[in-house]
Amino acid sequence: MLLVLPLPAYSAENFQVPILLYHRLGPTVADGMTITTSVFEAHMKYLHDNGYTVIPLRQLIDYYKKKGPAPKPKSVVIVEDDAHKSVYSDMLPIIRKYKYPVTIFTYPSAISNAKYALTWDQLRELKKTGLFDIQSHTYWHPNFKREKRKLKPDEYEKLVQVQLSKAKAKLEKELGGQVDMLAWPFGIYDDHLLKKAAEAGYGATFTIERRHATATDNIMKLPRYLLINADSGKSFAHLLEGNAVKRNVVY
């Protein structure tokens, strides 16, 4: 007698979603945060060819907020920190090709000011594609640990308030839409900062812990894989499967 057992149903309790964090692209590895454009394109092709679905970060957050269903198996999220100019020159053509959604976390002080950063017009153009969402990375990317050591308590509190609230207000004014997600600069956060972020109107914040996001994670400290150029080929495949090479990335 042949006994056929039903396959286990996919449930919200066992999803695992890698949030892939990129910083800048280029023809060569100029620094630890640069991924060559060819490696980035190979990443996107691998996702496409191997049955992965790239979902908007907002879709994942809606699950945590009980506004939407759990992400399906082999879901992936793509994000970028800092709004580097290579997002426009190198990333955009590849993202357009695959029509993958991307969330950019930016600090407004650099936009249209720093040579390495995008301009406001470029960010507006990215947003108009319907593929890019722009969210907060504080106002000027401070190291909160360092600032806390050198500032008086009241000065530090003011700094935190400015970094969180001014960034949100500036992005919403320039680009429209809702800015309610925050990536912590250098992955630095503590309970006090989490509380202040919530008070400033952020409903989700992100770290740089090297693991998948799961159903049991705290929405205010969701993990992301900070990718470097060595995360390519088999290493990238293993990372997506939850078997990432353990390394201490110097941010």
Side-chain angles (χ1 to χ4, degrees):
M1 181 175 177
L2 181 64
L3 181 63
V4 179
L5 297 174
L7 291 173
Y10 179 73
S11 69
E13 285 68 43
N14 63 12
F15 80 76
Q16 293 193 3
V17 177
I19 302 175
L20 307 179
L21 167 58
Y22 297 90
H23 279 78
R24 41 196 170 269
L25 309 182
T28 59
V29 180
D31 54 43
M33 294 296 102
T34 302
I35 286 181
T36 63
T37 306
S38 59
V39 165
F40 177 75
E41 182 152 25
H43 284 181
M44 300 304 103
K45 185 176 188 302
Y46 185 89
L47 295 174
H48 176 270
D49 293 350
N50 289 274
Y52 288 91
T53 300
V54 180
I55 63 172
L57 179 58
R58 178 75 60 188
Q59 184 176 325
L60 176 61
I61 296 308
D62 281 347
Y63 164 78
Y64 287 106
K65 292 184 174 181
K66 297 181 170 56
K67 292 181 179 178
K72 295 179 180 178
K74 300 189 82 170
S75 291
V76 175
V77 171
I78 297 172
V79 300
E80 188 272 347
D81 278 5
D82 301 346
H84 192 267
K85 61 185 180 181
S86 60
V87 173
Y88 189 85
S89 60
D90 294 46
M91 183 182 282
L92 176 58
I94 298 167
I95 289 302
R96 271 200 170 121
K97 176 181 177 181
Y98 290 98
K99 295 181 171 58
Y100 287 159
V102 176
T103 296
I104 296 173
F105 290 99
T106 185
Y107 46 103
S109 66
I111 304 304
S112 289
N113 287 322
K115 289 182 178 179
Y116 60 79
L118 294 171
T119 65
W120 288 112
D121 283 343
Q122 286 173 329
L123 280 176
R124 291 185 192 103
E125 189 176 335
L126 289 173
K127 194 168 182 182
K128 282 180 183 177
T129 66
L131 297 171
F132 290 84
D133 183 27
I134 320 297
Q135 296 292 321
S136 174
H137 201 22
T138 69
Y139 194 74
W140 51 256
H141 203 287
N143 181 317
F144 283 117
K145 282 185 180 178
R146 187 181 303 150
E147 298 296 336
K148 190 174 184 178
R149 285 196 300 268
K150 75 178 187 179
L151 295 175
K152 295 177 182 177
D154 58 333
E155 293 174 335
Y156 177 71
E157 287 303 308
K158 185 176 180 180
L159 171 81
V160 171
Q161 177 65 26
V162 167
Q163 292 298 321
L164 300 178
S165 298
K166 191 175 180 180
K168 175 177 165 64
K170 181 67 171 176
L171 290 169
E172 290 178 343
K173 178 184 176 183
E174 294 286 348
L175 304 172
Q178 185 179 31
V179 175
D180 59 355
M181 294 188 280
L182 169 75
W184 294 109
F186 307 106
I188 294 170
Y189 68 93
D190 56 29
D191 288 344
H192 178 68
L193 288 170
L194 294 177
K195 179 174 179 287
K196 289 298 180 181
E199 290 174 358
Y202 294 102
T205 72
F206 300 86
T207 73
I208 49 173
E209 292 175 69
R210 199 171 168 83
R211 60 181 181 82
H212 285 37
T214 68
T216 59
D217 274 308
N218 184 332
I219 193 174
M220 294 302 283
K221 41 187 175 181
L222 293 173
R224 304 180 301 166
Y225 287 95
L226 195 166
L227 296 173
I228 64 173
N229 207 59
D231 292 314
S232 58
K234 288 183 179 179
S235 292
F236 185 65
H238 291 158
L239 181 151
L240 293 172
E241 294 162 0
N243 300 310
V245 173
K246 299 204 182 305
R247 59 166 64 95
N248 293 319
V249 178
V250 179
Y251 193 102

